[in-house]
Amino acid sequence: SCYNEPFNEYLNRVRINAAQKLMRTSNWSIGRIAEEVGFANQSYFGKVFKKQVGTSPRLYRLQISTKKL
């Protein structure tokens, strides 16, 4: 639960979940998605995304697009 984790980790988790949803439902660039969910720095977004999801935003998007086919 969110009580055991530092606030910034909780916030990043919420932001990354929102980013994953946008990747599934929009054609926006990774940079725009990063901005939209509150990351000013795209490379930091990539680092946080990879830490949480286990893959880079670009690879994640490729994986979900091949699953749709």
Side-chain angles (χ1 to χ4, degrees), residues 11-39:
L11 186 61
N12 281 343
R13 188 162 49 81
V14 169
R15 287 173 168 169
I16 295 302
N17 287 343
Q20 287 177 285
K21 183 176 183 184
L22 284 170
M23 286 185 195
R24 289 192 301 270
T25 59
S26 78
N27 292 319
W28 291 352
S29 70
I30 307 267
R32 177 162 181 204
I33 289 172
E35 254 177 58
E36 199 68 29
V37 299
F39 286 89

Side-chain angles (χ1 to χ4, degrees), residues 25-63:
T25 59
S26 78
N27 292 319
W28 291 352
S29 70
I30 307 267
R32 177 162 181 204
I33 289 172
E35 254 177 58
E36 199 68 29
V37 299
F39 286 89
N41 180 324
Q42 190 178 338
S43 67
Y44 180 64
F45 167 74
K47 207 163 92 171
V48 173
F49 190 98
K50 187 165 189 172
K51 185 181 171 193
Q52 282 189 28
V53 182
T55 184
S56 71
R58 215 168 60 85
L59 272 176
Y60 178 81
R61 177 165 259 169
L62 279 171
Q63 288 169 350

